[in-house]
Amino acid sequence: MKYEITINGARRCVEFTPPKNEGLRVAFTVDGRPVEADAIRISRGAYSILHGGRSLEVTVEEASGGLLLRVNGREFQAKIFDPRSWRRGHGAGIELEGRQQLVAPMPGKIVRVLVAAGEKVSAGQGLLVIEAMKMQNEIRSPKSGTVEKLAKEGQTVNAGEVLAVVV
Amino acid sequence: MKYEITINGARRCVEFTPPKNEGLRVAFTVDGRPVEADAIRISRGAYSILHGGRSLEVTVEEASGGLLLRVNGREFQAKIFDPRSWRRGHGAGIELEGRQQLVAPMPGKIVRVLVAAGEKVSAGQGLLVIEAMKMQNEIRSPKSGTVEKLAKEGQTVNAGEVLAVVV
Amino acid sequence: MGIVSVAVFSDADRAALHVRLADEAFRAGPAPSRESYLRIDKLMEIARHAGCDALHPGYGFLAENPELARACASNNIAFIGPSPEAMERLGSKTAARQLAARAGVPMVPGTKEPIENLNGAGTIARKLGYPVLLKAVAGGGGKGMRAVSADAEMGAAWRDAASEAQNAFGDARLYLEKYVDRPRHIEIQILGDAHGRIVHLGERECSVQRRHQKVIEESPSPIMTPDLRRAMGEAAVRLAKDAGYVNAGTVEFLVDAQRNFYFLEVNTRLQVEHPVTEMVTGLDLVKLQIRVAAGEPLPFSQDQVKLSGHAVECRLYAEDPANQFFPSPGTILSRRAPSGPGIRLDDGVYEGFTVSTEYDPMLGKLISWGEDRAEAIARLRRGLAEYSVTGIKTNAELLLGILRDPEFLGGEIYTRWLDERLPRLLSGMQTQERDAIAEDAAILAALLHSLDGKDAAATNGAATETESRWKREGRFEQIDRSE
Amino acid sequence: MGIVSVAVFSDADRAALHVRLADEAFRAGPAPSRESYLRIDKLMEIARHAGCDALHPGYGFLAENPELARACASNNIAFIGPSPEAMERLGSKTAARQLAARAGVPMVPGTKEPIENLNGAGTIARKLGYPVLLKAVAGGGGKGMRAVSADAEMGAAWRDAASEAQNAFGDARLYLEKYVDRPRHIEIQILGDAHGRIVHLGERECSVQRRHQKVIEESPSPIMTPDLRRAMGEAAVRLAKDAGYVNAGTVEFLVDAQRNFYFLEVNTRLQVEHPVTEMVTGLDLVKLQIRVAAGEPLPFSQDQVKLSGHAVECRLYAEDPANQFFPSPGTILSRRAPSGPGIRLDDGVYEGFTVSTEYDPMLGKLISWGEDRAEAIARLRRGLAEYSVTGIKTNAELLLGILRDPEFLGGEIYTRWLDERLPRLLSGMQTQERDAIAEDAAILAALLHSLDGKDAAATNGAATETESRWKREGRFEQIDRSE
C-alpha cells in the first residue's frame, strides 16, 4: 500500500503493509529506503517502537489538520494522504489545499474580529481573537484565500466550533 | 425499574431509574429505604460517589459469577438479577441456581483431578488443582450437584477456559 | 494524622482528585469561583454541617483573606493560618513595608513620598546613585515606571512616566527608588507557633519566572552563603515576630548581585513551592501547620533545622509555549508519571480527567531532590522526560529546555531572566537537528494509528476498541495473499 | 548521569516499562528465562552489539552468578558488582560461613560436623543449652529439621529428623545448632570501592516475611541501638574486606531477643529493598554502584554516613491473599498511584499492562519516609489507601492490615511473625463491620456499571464506549415518560 505523508513539512512516499500481529517486525519503505522496526500498541494513541536499536515511545493525537506525534519528547506534525482515504473517511488531508475550516481550540469568547466575511486574506493573517482562561489568542489564516464564514464579536464558542472558513 | 441484587450474600430489592445525566443526584430505594447519591463515572469501571457526605471511590470488575466491587478498599461481591436480563444478555446471575460453569482464572496446567465426570459433589468440594506461576490452587464446586464436564489431568488451559461444569 | 478530611468543590471540580481522595466532599456552588470557592458563607455552612474542627485555606482563592479567618473564629473553627490581624498587617503592601521598616528589615532605598518636580528627582537620584527607578505613586503592573541610568535621561523619563501614570491612574505623582539590576527573587519560609516561637526553614530561590509567575523554584539558592541565610532568616523572623505571626508564611526578598537583600512582601499562607523546603528540611509543612493551629508548640528550635541536599520544583501547566502560552484545556488521554529516587509528583490529574477552562491550568508540580544542585537538576530532567501527558499541550519541553540551559545550570538567573531568554529557548525547541530514526518511528505510528480507525479516535478518554483495526487489516491482507 | 541505557527483554516483556523507558532495547529470546534472561551468551552478544561499557545485573536471574561477571570481564565490559571470585567466596553458604568464622563474625553456636549418635546429641545439646535445633547435614527447606526444648524430647526428635533426612536426601546424618527463638532478620548494606574502602549504610529490618519471602522492610530496625549497629556494621565490613568485596552487597543476620546477632548469608548484589536505605541515607545506591564499577573511589567515609528519619517499604504483588496467595495475572484496567511528601512508588506497570504468568508477580514497591517510624508507617498507610489497581487482585489490603496491626506497630516482629499472624489478619479483612453507606455506593455502582454494557466490559484494557449506555438509558427513559 502506498501512502504520501507530510512530516514536519517534508513530503515522504511510504510503502507499507499493515502487520499481521502486534509485536512483530514491521517492514516498510520511506522514499524507497527500507525500514524495519518492532512496534506494539501500548494504549490508544501510544506505541512502543524499537528501531535502529533505540526504544522510542510515540504518542499520536489528532490535531487540527493532521496528527501531532511526540517521539521521546520530540514533536512531529504529520498528515497522511491515503490512496484509499475516501473510502475510509480519511479525506481531511486533501482539504488542506481547498476549503480550510478553523475551529475553536477550547471554549471561549470572541473578543475581536479582525477581518470581514468575504475579505481576501493572506496566509498567516490574523482573523479573530479568542479569549479563554483570561488569555487572548489570535487565530490566523492557514492559507491565502477568501474568508467565507466568520464568528461574531462577543460570541461564546465551544471547543470544536467553527470560527472561520477560508476558501 | 426493579432489580434484585445480592451483595455479600444478602439479597436486596432495589428500585432504580437510570439517571439522565452524569454528575446529577441519583435517587433509588434499597428494600424500600430511599437513597440519594451523586455519582460520576471516572473511567470504565470506576465511579466517584458522594453519599451521606462521604466521598467514595468505587471500582467494579467482572468476576466469576458476578461483580467484584471495591469501595474505598472494602470489597463487595454483587450479582444483579435484572428483570430485563434476558434481553440484555445479563442472564449469568440466573445460572447460579442451575448449571455452574467453572473457568480457569489464568493460564495454567491441570495437575490433579479430584473427582470424575458424572460424580455427585457437594458445595465447596475440591474438583481439580490448577498450577500456574509455580503455585497450585484448588478449584472447588460452587454448589451441590453433578459434575458434567471436567478438564483432564496434565491439560494446559488458557484463562477463561472451562475447567468443569456442575449441574 | 488520622484526620477526616472534608473537601469542597464547585461544579467544575466534581471529578477533581481532591474530591475523590477526601473522606467527605460537599458542593460549594457553580463553577464561577465568586459563586463557590469565594463564598465564605457557603464554606462556613459546609464546615458547620460536616462538623469541621479546622479549616485549611490552601494557597489560592481565599487563602490570604482575613475575612475567612474571622468567619472561622466566629464559628469556632480553627483557621490553619495566621490571625486575621496579622494577615491584615502583612497583607497590605504599604502596611507590610512600614512594619518591615520598623523591624529593621532592609528595603530598596528610595523616597516612598511623591517627588515635587523634575529638579527634585535629579537631586534625589544623585543621592541614591544611578541607576534609579521612577515609579507612579498610584502605580502597579509596570505602568508609570521608568528605569533611569544617568542625569541626562531623567527629563524624558520623568515626562513619560508622569504622563503614563496620569493616563493609567489619573494621578501623575511619581517617587524614586534605587534600581536593583537583575534582582533575584529569594524568599524565606517561616513557621511560628502560638507560644511565641518563630523559626525560619531556609530560603527558596524563585528567580525563574515568566511574567512574574514562578516557573522553577529551588532550595537552597545557588548564591546562598551561611551568613546571608542567617541575615535574611533573622530579618524574616524579626518581621514575623513584630506582626504577631503564627503558622506558616513566606517573606519575599529581592537580592542583588552584591548579595544585598531588600524586602518585597509577605505571603500569609503556604506557597505552591513549599515542597522544595519540605525536601531539604525533611519536614511536613502541612502537618506542622495543623499542629500549630491546634495550639501545639513547634517540636524543634531554630538550631535543629538542618538543610540537607538540594531540591528543585517545576510547575507543569496545560499551556502551549509555542503558541504564546495559550492555555490548553481538554481531556487527558494518557498520563505517565515518573518514579525513582528523589522524585515527587504532586499533581491533581489522571487519565480521563478534563482540564477545564475555569481555573488556573496548572496540572501539578514535579519536584526532585539530590545530594547537590547538579544531581537534583539531573533527576528533574529525567523525571520530566519520563513524564508524559497526551490530549493536551504542556510546558514540559520548555521546562526541559530551561533545565538544560547553560545559564540556568550556572545559577545565573534573575527575575527577568526567563522572559529575556525565552525566544532563544523556544527557537531551540524548534530547531533540533533532524533525527531520521525518530521520524521513521513517527511515520510508522501515524500509519498504525490511522489504521486503528478514526471512529475510535473521536471518543474522549482512554478508548480501546475491542479489536484493533490494524490487526484486522493485517488479517485481511493475509487472507488476500493466501488466496 | 547522562548514561545511555540498554535494556534486554524476553518476548513476555516486550511491553514492560523497563523496555519502554530505556534508550535502547534488544530482544534476548523467548519468554522462558532459560532461553532469554539466563542466556549469558545472548546477553554478551547484545552488549557487544550495542557497545555497552558496563552491565548492571539487577537483582534477579543472573545477578549473583559469577559466570556472568566472568563473561563481562572477558568481553571487556565492566560488571556492576563484585568480582567473580568474591561472589564465589560469599555465594556458597558453606564457604561464606567459613569466611565469616575466620573474620570473627558471630555465628549461631553449633557443631557444623555430623553427630555420631543420640547420646552425643544429648551431650552437645546440654552444652549449648536448650532449646536446640537438629538439622540434616544434607538438608534444606526445613526437611530433617526439629526444634528440641528439653532432654526428654531428644530421642523422638532424633529419630524423626534422621528418618526424614534419610527419605528426603538419602543421608540421615544430623548436626545441632542453638535454636534462636523468634529471630529477627536484620541485614547490613555494605558498599566498597576498588581502592580498599568499604563502608556500611546501616541496617534494614526484614522480619515481616511470608514463607521466607520478605513482605515489609524498614530502616532503621525498631530494636536497633547505636552500639548494636556499630557491632553489626563492623562485622559486615570485616567479612567484606576479607572476601575482597567491591560494590554493593548485603550481609544478613539473625538477631535474637537479647540483641545477639548471628551471621546468616551474604547477597552479592543490590536488594529489592534497597530504597529504604536510600531514603534514610539520602544516597543513590545504583548511582554509587556505577561509580564504583567505573573505578571511582567512594565519595564519603563511614563517619559521613548519616541516617535520618525512618523508611518503610512494602512489596505489592499480583496475588490473592484470601485465596492462598494464588497469583493473579491479567490486564491492569486502571491504576492510581499515590503521591505527596515522603512517598515513592517504584513499579513497572501501567494501565493496559498485562501481568504475565511467566515471572514473579511483583507489581512494584511502595516506599515511605517519615521523621520517625510512626510517621513513615502512617504515610505508607495513606499511600496504600490511595494506591488502586483494578483488573487483577493485589495484596494491598493485607499490607494495610499489617501496617495497622498492634504487634507490628509495637515492633514485635520476627521471621515467622507474619506466617503465625496471617489467619488473624485475613479474618480481620473479612469481618469488617457493616458499612451501609459503602454498600449503597456499591449497589449504585453495580447498577450503573451493568447499564454501561457488558459488551464493552469484555474488552481488555481501559475501554470506554463512545457513549455510556447509562446515559442512553436515561435518555430513553426520559423519552418514554415525555410521551
Side-chain angles (χ1 to χ4, degrees), chain C residues 97 100 103-109 178 180 183-188 203 221 223-239 251-265:
Chain C
R97 283 177 68 92
V105 177
M107 323 269 279
V108 177
K178 174 88 185 144
V180 184
R184 290 167 173 266
H185 174 118
I186 301 181
E187 57 189 32
I188 299 287
E203 79 283 1
S221 159
I223 61 147
M224 194 49 60
T225 64
D227 284 349
L228 179 59
R229 179 177 297 129
R230 197 176 318 113
M232 291 178 72
E234 284 171 4
V237 166
R238 220 155 50 226
L239 173 58
V251 184
E252 297 186 334
F253 295 98
L254 290 182
V255 180
D256 70 16
Q258 288 72 45
R259 292 200 175 81
N260 299 304
F261 63 93
Y262 306 107
F263 174 74
L264 202 59
E265 62 175 45

Coordinates of all heavy atoms in Angstrom, one line a residue, chain C residues 97 100 103-109 178 180 183-188 203 221 223-239 251-265:
Chain C
R97 N 5.3 47.2 54.4 CA 6.6 47.9 54.3 C 6.9 48.8 55.5 O 8.0 48.9 56.0 CB 6.5 48.8 53.1 CG 6.7 48.1 51.7 CD 6.6 49.1 50.6 NE 7.7 50.0 50.5 CZ 8.8 49.8 49.8 NH1 8.9 48.7 49.1 NH2 9.7 50.7 49.8
A100 N 8.0 46.4 58.1 CA 9.4 45.9 57.8 C 10.4 47.0 58.2 O 11.5 46.7 58.7 CB 9.4 45.5 56.4
A103 N 11.0 47.0 61.7 CA 11.7 45.9 62.2 C 13.1 45.8 61.7 O 13.8 44.9 62.0 CB 10.9 44.6 61.8
G104 N 13.5 46.9 61.0 CA 14.9 47.0 60.5 C 15.2 46.0 59.4 O 16.3 45.6 59.2
V105 N 14.2 45.6 58.7 CA 14.4 44.8 57.5 C 14.8 45.7 56.3 O 14.1 46.7 56.1 CB 13.1 44.0 57.2 CG1 13.3 43.2 55.9 CG2 12.6 43.2 58.3
P106 N 15.9 45.3 55.6 CA 16.4 46.2 54.6 C 15.3 46.4 53.5 O 14.6 45.4 53.1 CB 17.6 45.5 54.0 CG 18.0 44.5 55.1 CD 16.8 44.2 55.8
M107 N 15.2 47.6 53.0 CA 14.3 47.9 51.9 C 15.0 48.5 50.8 O 16.1 49.1 51.0 CB 13.2 48.9 52.4 CG 12.8 48.8 53.8 SD 11.4 47.7 53.9 CE 10.1 48.9 53.5
V108 N 14.5 48.5 49.6 CA 15.1 49.2 48.5 C 15.1 50.7 48.8 O 14.1 51.2 49.1 CB 14.3 48.9 47.2 CG1 14.9 49.7 46.0 CG2 14.3 47.4 46.8
P109 N 16.3 51.3 48.8 CA 16.4 52.7 49.2 C 15.6 53.6 48.2 O 15.5 53.3 47.0 CB 17.9 53.1 49.0 CG 18.6 51.7 49.0 CD 17.6 50.8 48.4
K178 N 15.9 53.2 44.3 CA 17.2 52.6 43.7 C 16.8 51.5 42.8 O 15.9 50.7 43.1 CB 18.0 52.1 44.9 CG 19.3 51.4 44.5 CD 20.5 52.4 44.3 CE 21.7 51.6 43.8 NZ 22.5 52.4 42.8
V180 N 17.3 48.1 41.2 CA 18.1 46.9 41.5 C 18.2 46.1 40.2 O 17.2 45.7 39.6 CB 17.3 46.0 42.6 CG1 18.2 44.8 42.9 CG2 17.0 46.8 43.8
P183 N 17.7 41.6 39.7 CA 17.5 41.0 41.0 C 17.1 39.6 41.0 O 16.4 39.1 40.1 CB 16.4 41.9 41.6 CG 15.5 42.2 40.4 CD 16.5 42.4 39.2
R184 N 17.4 38.9 42.1 CA 16.9 37.5 42.3 C 15.7 37.6 43.2 O 15.7 38.5 44.1 CB 18.0 36.6 42.9 CG 19.1 36.3 42.0 CD 20.3 35.7 42.7 NE 21.3 35.3 41.8 CZ 21.4 34.0 41.3 NH1 20.5 33.1 41.7 NH2 22.3 33.7 40.5
H185 N 14.8 36.7 43.0 CA 13.7 36.5 44.0 C 14.1 35.4 44.9 O 14.1 34.2 44.5 CB 12.4 36.2 43.2 CG 11.2 35.9 44.1 ND1 10.1 36.7 44.1 CD2 11.1 35.0 45.0 CE1 9.3 36.2 45.0 NE2 9.8 35.1 45.6
I186 N 14.3 35.7 46.1 CA 14.7 34.7 47.1 C 13.7 34.9 48.3 O 13.6 36.1 48.8 CB 16.1 34.8 47.6 CG1 17.1 34.6 46.3 CG2 16.5 33.7 48.6 CD1 18.5 34.6 46.6
E187 N 13.1 33.9 48.8 CA 12.1 34.0 49.9 C 12.5 33.1 51.0 O 13.1 32.1 50.9 CB 10.7 33.7 49.3 CG 10.6 32.3 48.7 CD 9.3 32.0 48.0 OE1 8.7 33.0 47.4 OE2 8.8 30.9 48.0
I188 N 12.1 33.5 52.2 CA 12.4 32.8 53.4 C 11.1 32.2 54.0 O 10.0 32.9 54.1 CB 12.9 33.7 54.5 CG1 14.3 34.3 54.0 CG2 13.1 33.0 55.8 CD1 15.4 33.4 54.0
E203 N 15.8 29.2 52.7 CA 15.3 30.0 51.6 C 14.8 29.2 50.4 O 15.1 28.0 50.3 CB 16.3 31.0 51.1 CG 17.4 30.4 50.2 CD 18.4 29.6 50.9 OE1 18.3 29.4 52.2 OE2 19.3 29.0 50.2
S221 N 19.3 28.4 47.5 CA 19.6 29.3 46.4 C 21.1 29.0 46.0 O 21.9 28.9 46.8 CB 19.4 30.8 46.8 OG 20.2 31.6 45.9
I223 N 23.2 31.0 45.1 CA 24.2 32.1 45.6 C 24.2 32.2 47.1 O 24.8 33.1 47.6 CB 23.8 33.5 45.0 CG1 22.4 33.9 45.4 CG2 24.0 33.5 43.5 CD1 22.3 35.4 45.6
M224 N 23.5 31.3 47.8 CA 23.4 31.5 49.2 C 24.7 31.2 49.9 O 25.5 30.3 49.5 CB 22.3 30.5 49.7 CG 21.8 30.8 51.2 SD 21.4 32.5 51.5 CE 20.1 32.9 50.4
T225 N 24.9 32.0 51.0 CA 26.0 31.7 51.9 C 25.4 31.5 53.3 O 24.3 32.1 53.5 CB 27.0 32.8 51.9 OG1 26.4 34.0 52.5 CG2 27.6 33.2 50.6
P226 N 26.1 30.9 54.2 CA 25.5 30.7 55.6 C 25.2 32.1 56.2 O 24.2 32.3 56.8 CB 26.6 30.0 56.3 CG 27.4 29.2 55.3 CD 27.3 30.1 54.1
D227 N 26.1 33.1 56.0 CA 25.9 34.4 56.6 C 24.7 35.1 56.0 O 23.9 35.6 56.8 CB 27.1 35.3 56.3 CG 28.3 34.9 57.2 OD1 28.1 34.1 58.2 OD2 29.4 35.4 56.9
L228 N 24.5 35.0 54.7 CA 23.4 35.6 54.1 C 22.1 35.0 54.5 O 21.1 35.6 54.8 CB 23.5 35.6 52.5 CG 22.3 36.2 51.7 CD1 22.2 37.7 52.1 CD2 22.6 36.0 50.2
R229 N 22.1 33.6 54.6 CA 20.9 32.9 55.1 C 20.5 33.3 56.5 O 19.4 33.6 56.8 CB 21.1 31.4 55.0 CG 19.9 30.6 55.5 CD 20.1 29.1 55.3 NE 20.3 28.7 53.9 CZ 21.3 28.0 53.5 NH1 22.2 27.5 54.4 NH2 21.4 27.7 52.2
R230 N 21.5 33.4 57.3 CA 21.3 33.8 58.7 C 20.7 35.2 58.7 O 19.7 35.5 59.4 CB 22.5 33.8 59.5 CG 22.2 33.8 61.0 CD 23.5 33.6 61.9 NE 24.4 32.6 61.3 CZ 25.6 32.8 60.8 NH1 26.1 34.1 60.8 NH2 26.3 31.8 60.3
A231 N 21.3 36.2 58.0 CA 20.8 37.5 58.0 C 19.4 37.6 57.4 O 18.5 38.3 58.0 CB 21.8 38.4 57.1
M232 N 19.1 37.0 56.3 CA 17.8 37.0 55.7 C 16.8 36.3 56.7 O 15.6 36.8 56.9 CB 17.7 36.4 54.4 CG 18.5 37.2 53.3 SD 18.5 36.4 51.7 CE 16.8 36.6 51.2
G233 N 17.2 35.2 57.2 CA 16.3 34.4 58.1 C 15.9 35.2 59.3 O 14.8 35.3 59.7
E234 N 16.9 35.9 59.9 CA 16.7 36.7 61.1 C 15.8 37.8 60.8 O 14.9 38.2 61.6 CB 18.0 37.1 61.7 CG 18.7 35.9 62.5 CD 20.1 36.2 62.9 OE1 20.6 37.4 62.7 OE2 20.8 35.3 63.4
A235 N 16.0 38.5 59.7 CA 15.2 39.6 59.3 C 13.7 39.1 59.1 O 12.8 39.8 59.6 CB 15.7 40.2 58.0
A236 N 13.5 38.0 58.5 CA 12.2 37.5 58.3 C 11.5 37.1 59.6 O 10.3 37.5 59.9 CB 12.2 36.2 57.4
V237 N 12.3 36.5 60.5 CA 11.7 36.1 61.8 C 11.4 37.4 62.6 O 10.3 37.5 63.3 CB 12.7 35.2 62.6 CG1 12.3 35.1 64.0 CG2 12.7 33.8 61.9
R238 N 12.3 38.4 62.6 CA 12.0 39.7 63.3 C 10.7 40.3 62.8 O 9.8 40.7 63.6 CB 13.2 40.6 62.9 CG 13.6 41.5 64.1 CD 15.1 41.9 63.9 NE 15.3 42.5 62.6 CZ 16.4 42.2 61.9 NH1 17.3 41.3 62.3 NH2 16.6 42.8 60.7
L239 N 10.5 40.4 61.5 CA 9.3 40.9 61.0 C 8.1 40.1 61.4 O 7.0 40.7 61.8 CB 9.4 41.0 59.4 CG 8.1 41.4 58.7 CD1 7.7 42.8 59.1 CD2 8.4 41.4 57.2
V251 N 8.4 35.3 53.6 CA 8.8 36.6 53.4 C 9.7 36.7 52.2 O 10.7 36.0 52.1 CB 9.6 37.1 54.6 CG1 10.0 38.6 54.5 CG2 8.8 36.9 55.9
E252 N 9.2 37.5 51.2 CA 9.9 37.6 49.9 C 10.9 38.7 49.8 O 10.6 39.8 50.3 CB 8.9 37.7 48.8 CG 8.0 36.5 48.7 CD 7.0 36.6 47.4 OE1 6.7 37.7 47.0 OE2 6.6 35.5 47.0
F253 N 12.1 38.5 49.2 CA 13.1 39.5 49.1 C 13.6 39.5 47.7 O 13.5 38.6 46.9 CB 14.3 39.1 50.0 CG 14.0 39.1 51.5 CD1 13.8 38.0 52.1 CD2 14.0 40.3 52.2 CE1 13.5 37.9 53.5 CE2 13.8 40.3 53.5 CZ 13.5 39.1 54.2
L254 N 14.1 40.7 47.3 CA 14.9 40.8 46.1 C 16.4 40.8 46.6 O 16.7 41.4 47.6 CB 14.7 42.2 45.4 CG 13.3 42.3 44.7 CD1 13.3 43.7 44.0 CD2 13.1 41.2 43.7
V255 N 17.2 40.1 45.8 CA 18.7 40.1 46.2 C 19.5 40.5 45.0 O 19.2 40.0 43.9 CB 19.1 38.6 46.6 CG1 20.5 38.6 47.0 CG2 18.2 38.2 47.8
D256 N 20.4 41.4 45.2 CA 21.2 41.9 44.0 C 22.5 41.2 43.9 O 22.8 40.3 44.7 CB 21.4 43.4 44.1 CG 22.3 43.9 45.2 OD1 23.0 43.0 45.8 OD2 22.3 45.1 45.6
A257 N 23.3 41.5 42.9 CA 24.5 40.8 42.6 C 25.5 40.8 43.7 O 26.3 39.9 43.9 CB 25.1 41.3 41.3
Q258 N 25.4 41.9 44.6 CA 26.3 42.0 45.7 C 25.8 41.3 47.0 O 26.3 41.5 48.0 CB 26.6 43.5 46.0 CG 27.5 44.2 45.0 CD 26.8 44.4 43.7 OE1 25.6 44.9 43.7 NE2 27.4 44.1 42.5
R259 N 24.7 40.6 46.8 CA 24.1 39.8 47.9 C 23.4 40.8 48.9 O 23.3 40.4 50.1 CB 25.0 38.9 48.6 CG 25.4 37.7 47.7 CD 26.0 36.5 48.5 NE 26.2 35.4 47.7 CZ 27.4 35.2 47.0 NH1 28.3 36.2 47.0 NH2 27.5 34.1 46.2
N260 N 23.1 42.0 48.5 CA 22.2 42.9 49.3 C 20.8 42.4 49.1 O 20.4 42.0 48.0 CB 22.3 44.3 48.9 CG 23.7 44.9 49.0 OD1 24.3 44.9 50.0 ND2 24.2 45.4 47.8
F261 N 20.1 42.3 50.2 CA 18.7 41.9 50.1 C 17.7 43.0 50.5 O 18.0 43.8 51.4 CB 18.4 40.6 50.9 CG 18.6 40.6 52.4 CD1 17.5 40.9 53.2 CD2 19.9 40.4 52.9 CE1 17.7 40.9 54.6 CE2 20.0 40.5 54.3 CZ 19.0 40.7 55.1
Y262 N 16.6 43.0 49.9 CA 15.6 44.0 50.1 C 14.2 43.4 50.2 O 13.8 42.5 49.5 CB 15.5 45.0 48.9 CG 16.9 45.6 48.5 CD1 17.6 45.2 47.4 CD2 17.5 46.5 49.3 CE1 18.8 45.7 47.1 CE2 18.7 47.1 49.0 CZ 19.4 46.7 47.9 OH 20.6 47.2 47.6
F263 N 13.5 43.9 51.2 CA 12.1 43.3 51.5 C 11.2 43.6 50.3 O 11.2 44.7 49.7 CB 11.6 44.0 52.7 CG 10.1 43.7 53.0 CD1 9.8 42.4 53.5 CD2 9.1 44.6 52.8 CE1 8.5 42.1 53.8 CE2 7.8 44.2 53.0 CZ 7.5 43.0 53.5
L264 N 10.4 42.6 50.0 CA 9.5 42.7 48.8 C 8.0 42.6 49.4 O 7.3 43.6 49.3 CB 9.7 41.5 47.9 CG 9.2 41.7 46.4 CD1 9.9 42.9 45.8 CD2 9.6 40.4 45.6
E265 N 7.6 41.5 49.9 CA 6.3 41.4 50.5 C 6.2 40.1 51.3 O 7.1 39.3 51.3 CB 5.2 41.4 49.4 CG 5.3 40.3 48.4 CD 4.1 40.3 47.5 OE1 3.7 41.4 47.0 OE2 3.5 39.3 47.2

